mmCIF file of all heavy atoms in Angstrom:
data_model
loop_
_atom_site.group_PDB
_atom_site.id
_atom_site.type_symbol
_atom_site.label_atom_id
_atom_site.label_comp_id
_atom_site.label_asym_id
_atom_site.label_seq_id
_atom_site.Cartn_x
_atom_site.Cartn_y
_atom_site.Cartn_z
ATOM 1 N N VAL A 258 0.824 -1.216 -0.002
ATOM 2 C CA VAL A 258 -0.005 0.010 0.007
ATOM 3 C C VAL A 258 0.823 1.237 -0.022
ATOM 4 O O VAL A 258 0.252 2.355 -0.082
ATOM 5 C CB VAL A 258 -0.984 0.045 1.155
ATOM 6 C CG1 VAL A 258 -1.864 -1.247 1.225
ATOM 7 C CG2 VAL A 258 -0.284 0.233 2.521
ATOM 8 N N LYS A 259 2.150 1.160 0.051
ATOM 9 C CA LYS A 259 2.990 2.352 0.099
ATOM 10 C C LYS A 259 2.773 3.167 -1.167
ATOM 11 O O LYS A 259 2.739 2.662 -2.284
ATOM 12 C CB LYS A 259 4.510 1.950 0.186
ATOM 13 C CG LYS A 259 4.941 1.429 1.550
ATOM 14 C CD LYS A 259 6.382 1.074 1.611
ATOM 15 C CE LYS A 259 6.784 0.595 2.983
ATOM 16 N NZ LYS A 259 8.196 0.220 3.041
ATOM 17 N N GLY A 260 2.668 4.501 -0.953
ATOM 18 C CA GLY A 260 2.449 5.355 -2.106
ATOM 19 C C GLY A 260 0.960 5.581 -2.467
ATOM 20 O O GLY A 260 0.650 6.443 -3.239
ATOM 21 N N ARG A 261 0.078 4.695 -1.915
ATOM 22 C CA ARG A 261 -1.348 4.833 -2.183
ATOM 23 C C ARG A 261 -2.186 5.142 -0.931
ATOM 24 O O ARG A 261 -3.178 5.814 -1.044
ATOM 25 C CB ARG A 261 -1.852 3.471 -2.796
ATOM 26 C CG ARG A 261 -1.146 3.108 -4.094
ATOM 27 C CD ARG A 261 -1.892 1.891 -4.682
ATOM 28 N NE ARG A 261 -1.764 0.711 -3.909
ATOM 29 C CZ ARG A 261 -2.804 0.026 -3.418
ATOM 30 N NH1 ARG A 261 -4.065 0.468 -3.681
ATOM 31 N NH2 ARG A 261 -2.647 -1.052 -2.666
ATOM 32 N N PHE A 262 -1.796 4.595 0.221
ATOM 33 C CA PHE A 262 -2.543 4.785 1.456
ATOM 34 C C PHE A 262 -1.800 5.797 2.372
ATOM 35 O O PHE A 262 -0.477 5.762 2.372
ATOM 36 C CB PHE A 262 -2.719 3.483 2.190
ATOM 37 C CG PHE A 262 -3.646 2.511 1.558
ATOM 38 C CD1 PHE A 262 -4.105 2.705 0.306
ATOM 39 C CD2 PHE A 262 -4.061 1.407 2.247
ATOM 40 C CE1 PHE A 262 -4.989 1.775 -0.318
ATOM 41 C CE2 PHE A 262 -4.935 0.472 1.712
ATOM 42 C CZ PHE A 262 -5.364 0.696 0.388
ATOM 43 N N THR A 263 -2.492 6.561 3.143
ATOM 44 C CA THR A 263 -1.903 7.485 4.122
ATOM 45 C C THR A 263 -2.652 7.371 5.467
ATOM 46 O O THR A 263 -3.915 7.549 5.484
ATOM 47 C CB THR A 263 -1.981 8.918 3.621
ATOM 48 O OG1 THR A 263 -1.249 9.001 2.376
ATOM 49 C CG2 THR A 263 -1.291 9.832 4.685
ATOM 50 N N ILE A 264 -1.992 7.048 6.569
ATOM 51 C CA ILE A 264 -2.545 7.104 7.880
ATOM 52 C C ILE A 264 -2.274 8.415 8.555
ATOM 53 O O ILE A 264 -1.244 9.012 8.387
ATOM 54 C CB ILE A 264 -2.059 5.923 8.762
ATOM 55 C CG1 ILE A 264 -2.826 5.763 10.040
ATOM 56 C CG2 ILE A 264 -0.519 6.024 9.042
ATOM 57 C CD1 ILE A 264 -2.515 4.495 10.830
ATOM 58 N N SER A 265 -3.285 8.950 9.268
ATOM 59 C CA SER A 265 -3.151 10.215 9.898
ATOM 60 C C SER A 265 -4.021 10.229 11.138
ATOM 61 O O SER A 265 -4.795 9.289 11.393
ATOM 62 C CB SER A 265 -3.511 11.391 9.026
ATOM 63 O OG SER A 265 -4.850 11.351 8.636
ATOM 64 N N ARG A 266 -3.902 11.283 12.009
ATOM 65 C CA ARG A 266 -4.687 11.373 13.224
ATOM 66 C C ARG A 266 -5.152 12.763 13.517
ATOM 67 O O ARG A 266 -4.444 13.679 13.080
ATOM 68 C CB ARG A 266 -3.847 10.843 14.426
ATOM 69 C CG ARG A 266 -2.740 11.697 14.807
ATOM 70 C CD ARG A 266 -1.868 11.051 15.885
ATOM 71 N NE ARG A 266 -0.837 11.977 16.359
ATOM 72 C CZ ARG A 266 0.264 11.636 16.908
ATOM 73 N NH1 ARG A 266 0.592 10.336 17.055
ATOM 74 N NH2 ARG A 266 1.145 12.561 17.316
ATOM 75 N N ASP A 267 -6.232 12.897 14.196
ATOM 76 C CA ASP A 267 -6.783 14.164 14.640
ATOM 77 C C ASP A 267 -6.929 14.026 16.179
ATOM 78 O O ASP A 267 -7.861 13.407 16.644
ATOM 79 C CB ASP A 267 -8.141 14.517 13.980
ATOM 80 C CG ASP A 267 -8.643 15.883 14.412
ATOM 81 O OD1 ASP A 267 -8.203 16.399 15.495
ATOM 82 O OD2 ASP A 267 -9.450 16.432 13.559
ATOM 83 N N ASN A 268 -5.890 14.541 16.917
ATOM 84 C CA ASN A 268 -5.919 14.356 18.359
ATOM 85 C C ASN A 268 -7.109 14.982 19.030
ATOM 86 O O ASN A 268 -7.604 14.444 20.038
ATOM 87 C CB ASN A 268 -4.633 14.949 18.934
ATOM 88 C CG ASN A 268 -3.389 14.247 18.492
ATOM 89 O OD1 ASN A 268 -3.433 13.058 18.171
ATOM 90 N ND2 ASN A 268 -2.276 14.911 18.430
ATOM 91 N N ALA A 269 -7.620 16.100 18.536
ATOM 92 C CA ALA A 269 -8.760 16.795 19.116
ATOM 93 C C ALA A 269 -9.976 15.999 19.051
ATOM 94 O O ALA A 269 -10.878 16.106 19.838
ATOM 95 C CB ALA A 269 -8.920 18.195 18.517
ATOM 96 N N ARG A 270 -10.116 15.174 18.023
ATOM 97 C CA ARG A 270 -11.290 14.341 17.811
ATOM 98 C C ARG A 270 -11.103 12.882 18.163
ATOM 99 O O ARG A 270 -11.956 12.106 17.998
ATOM 100 C CB ARG A 270 -11.752 14.453 16.321
ATOM 101 C CG ARG A 270 -12.057 15.824 15.824
ATOM 102 C CD ARG A 270 -12.599 15.883 14.416
ATOM 103 N NE ARG A 270 -13.877 15.316 14.344
ATOM 104 C CZ ARG A 270 -14.632 15.324 13.204
ATOM 105 N NH1 ARG A 270 -14.165 15.845 12.096
ATOM 106 N NH2 ARG A 270 -15.798 14.727 13.234
ATOM 107 N N ASN A 271 -9.907 12.579 18.691
ATOM 108 C CA ASN A 271 -9.553 11.193 19.086
ATOM 109 C C ASN A 271 -9.853 10.184 17.982
ATOM 110 O O ASN A 271 -10.393 9.166 18.162
ATOM 111 C CB ASN A 271 -10.366 10.726 20.370
ATOM 112 C CG ASN A 271 -9.948 11.585 21.548
ATOM 113 O OD1 ASN A 271 -8.752 11.865 21.739
ATOM 114 N ND2 ASN A 271 -10.943 11.901 22.449
ATOM 115 N N THR A 272 -9.442 10.581 16.777
ATOM 116 C CA THR A 272 -9.708 9.821 15.605
ATOM 117 C C THR A 272 -8.486 9.590 14.701
ATOM 118 O O THR A 272 -7.668 10.458 14.618
ATOM 119 C CB THR A 272 -10.824 10.501 14.767
ATOM 120 O OG1 THR A 272 -12.019 10.654 15.553
ATOM 121 C CG2 THR A 272 -11.155 9.712 13.438
ATOM 122 N N VAL A 273 -8.334 8.400 14.244
ATOM 123 C CA VAL A 273 -7.249 8.049 13.261
ATOM 124 C C VAL A 273 -7.960 7.685 11.895
ATOM 125 O O VAL A 273 -8.986 7.108 11.843
ATOM 126 C CB VAL A 273 -6.510 6.800 13.764
ATOM 127 C CG1 VAL A 273 -5.539 6.254 12.694
ATOM 128 C CG2 VAL A 273 -5.713 7.169 14.975
ATOM 129 N N TYR A 274 -7.326 8.174 10.831
ATOM 130 C CA TYR A 274 -7.921 8.005 9.526
ATOM 131 C C TYR A 274 -6.973 7.142 8.627
ATOM 132 O O TYR A 274 -5.797 7.097 8.878
ATOM 133 C CB TYR A 274 -8.022 9.355 8.830
ATOM 134 C CG TYR A 274 -8.961 10.294 9.588
ATOM 135 C CD1 TYR A 274 -8.397 11.284 10.422
ATOM 136 C CD2 TYR A 274 -10.315 10.230 9.408
ATOM 137 C CE1 TYR A 274 -9.149 12.142 11.094
ATOM 138 C CE2 TYR A 274 -11.113 11.163 10.127
ATOM 139 C CZ TYR A 274 -10.510 12.108 10.917
ATOM 140 O OH TYR A 274 -11.351 12.983 11.632
ATOM 141 N N LEU A 275 -7.550 6.472 7.590
ATOM 142 C CA LEU A 275 -6.792 5.877 6.590
ATOM 143 C C LEU A 275 -7.322 6.311 5.253
ATOM 144 O O LEU A 275 -8.446 5.930 4.848
ATOM 145 C CB LEU A 275 -6.889 4.341 6.711
ATOM 146 C CG LEU A 275 -6.038 3.549 5.668
ATOM 147 C CD1 LEU A 275 -4.562 3.743 6.028
ATOM 148 C CD2 LEU A 275 -6.410 2.074 5.692
ATOM 149 N N GLN A 276 -6.560 7.147 4.554
ATOM 150 C CA GLN A 276 -6.960 7.626 3.238
ATOM 151 C C GLN A 276 -6.403 6.623 2.217
ATOM 152 O O GLN A 276 -5.217 6.361 2.194
ATOM 153 C CB GLN A 276 -6.319 8.999 2.945
ATOM 154 C CG GLN A 276 -6.644 9.546 1.549
ATOM 155 C CD GLN A 276 -8.079 9.867 1.375
ATOM 156 O OE1 GLN A 276 -8.718 10.415 2.232
ATOM 157 N NE2 GLN A 276 -8.658 9.489 0.229
ATOM 158 N N MET A 277 -7.305 6.006 1.458
ATOM 159 C CA MET A 277 -6.983 4.991 0.496
ATOM 160 C C MET A 277 -7.202 5.527 -0.950
ATOM 161 O O MET A 277 -8.374 5.827 -1.345
ATOM 162 C CB MET A 277 -7.767 3.723 0.728
ATOM 163 C CG MET A 277 -7.604 3.199 2.147
ATOM 164 S SD MET A 277 -8.467 1.632 2.384
ATOM 165 C CE MET A 277 -10.187 2.153 2.194
ATOM 166 N N ASN A 278 -6.153 5.668 -1.735
ATOM 167 C CA ASN A 278 -6.245 6.153 -3.124
ATOM 168 C C ASN A 278 -5.837 5.051 -4.087
ATOM 169 O O ASN A 278 -5.141 4.082 -3.671
ATOM 170 C CB ASN A 278 -5.356 7.370 -3.290
ATOM 171 C CG ASN A 278 -5.731 8.566 -2.451
ATOM 172 O OD1 ASN A 278 -6.978 8.782 -2.226
ATOM 173 N ND2 ASN A 278 -4.807 9.376 -2.015
ATOM 174 N N SER A 279 -6.157 5.249 -5.279
ATOM 175 C CA SER A 279 -5.782 4.257 -6.371
ATOM 176 C C SER A 279 -6.086 2.838 -5.960
ATOM 177 O O SER A 279 -5.237 1.920 -6.058
ATOM 178 C CB SER A 279 -4.282 4.373 -6.688
ATOM 179 O OG SER A 279 -4.014 5.729 -7.150
ATOM 180 N N LEU A 280 -7.300 2.615 -5.523
ATOM 181 C CA LEU A 280 -7.653 1.343 -4.985
ATOM 182 C C LEU A 280 -7.659 0.293 -6.068
ATOM 183 O O LEU A 280 -8.066 0.517 -7.214
ATOM 184 C CB LEU A 280 -9.041 1.413 -4.329
ATOM 185 C CG LEU A 280 -9.045 2.071 -2.893
ATOM 186 C CD1 LEU A 280 -10.434 2.501 -2.544
ATOM 187 C CD2 LEU A 280 -8.478 1.096 -1.896
ATOM 188 N N LYS A 281 -7.290 -0.984 -5.646
ATOM 189 C CA LYS A 281 -7.274 -2.093 -6.499
ATOM 190 C C LYS A 281 -8.222 -3.172 -6.009
ATOM 191 O O LYS A 281 -8.567 -3.150 -4.841
ATOM 192 C CB LYS A 281 -5.843 -2.682 -6.611
ATOM 193 C CG LYS A 281 -4.732 -1.663 -6.965
ATOM 194 C CD LYS A 281 -3.368 -2.306 -6.837
ATOM 195 C CE LYS A 281 -2.284 -1.339 -7.192
ATOM 196 N NZ LYS A 281 -0.927 -1.961 -7.019
ATOM 197 N N ALA A 282 -8.559 -4.100 -6.882
ATOM 198 C CA ALA A 282 -9.427 -5.238 -6.477
ATOM 199 C C ALA A 282 -8.778 -6.035 -5.343
ATOM 200 O O ALA A 282 -9.496 -6.483 -4.398
ATOM 201 C CB ALA A 282 -9.701 -6.106 -7.654
ATOM 202 N N GLU A 283 -7.469 -6.013 -5.285
ATOM 203 C CA GLU A 283 -6.675 -6.760 -4.268
ATOM 204 C C GLU A 283 -6.857 -6.113 -2.872
ATOM 205 O O GLU A 283 -6.457 -6.759 -1.869
ATOM 206 C CB GLU A 283 -5.220 -6.911 -4.648
ATOM 207 C CG GLU A 283 -4.958 -7.706 -5.847
ATOM 208 C CD GLU A 283 -5.309 -7.015 -7.164
ATOM 209 O OE1 GLU A 283 -5.240 -5.757 -7.187
ATOM 210 O OE2 GLU A 283 -5.620 -7.774 -8.159
ATOM 211 N N ASP A 284 -7.338 -4.845 -2.789
ATOM 212 C CA ASP A 284 -7.499 -4.208 -1.552
ATOM 213 C C ASP A 284 -8.860 -4.604 -0.930
ATOM 214 O O ASP A 284 -9.119 -4.205 0.268
ATOM 215 C CB ASP A 284 -7.542 -2.666 -1.733
ATOM 216 C CG ASP A 284 -6.174 -2.239 -2.203
ATOM 217 O OD1 ASP A 284 -5.113 -2.641 -1.701
ATOM 218 O OD2 ASP A 284 -6.165 -1.295 -3.106
ATOM 219 N N THR A 285 -9.708 -5.379 -1.529
ATOM 220 C CA THR A 285 -10.957 -5.830 -1.001
ATOM 221 C C THR A 285 -10.715 -6.640 0.250
ATOM 222 O O THR A 285 -10.033 -7.687 0.247
ATOM 223 C CB THR A 285 -11.739 -6.630 -2.027
ATOM 224 O OG1 THR A 285 -12.084 -5.787 -3.162
ATOM 225 C CG2 THR A 285 -13.038 -7.185 -1.391
ATOM 226 N N ALA A 286 -11.339 -6.264 1.332
ATOM 227 C CA ALA A 286 -11.161 -6.968 2.663
ATOM 228 C C ALA A 286 -12.018 -6.256 3.719
ATOM 229 O O ALA A 286 -12.572 -5.176 3.465
ATOM 230 C CB ALA A 286 -9.634 -6.841 3.066
#
């Protein structure tokens, strides 16, 4: 997933995100 996915966090909202770009069929899960 390197170069396609980005993990980030918002400390004020106690939330972690996973931005997934250029998705492939193999990412199905």
Side-chain angles (χ1 to χ4, degrees):
V258 306
K259 286 181 178 178
R261 299 189 297 120
F262 291 11
T263 302
I264 188 170
S265 62
R266 70 188 187 204
D267 185 335
N268 295 332
R270 301 184 69 175
N271 294 322
T272 300
V273 172
Y274 303 97
L275 184 68
Q276 179 67 45
M277 305 185 294
N278 298 326
S279 301
L280 283 163
K281 305 174 181 178
E283 294 76 27
D284 297 317
T285 296

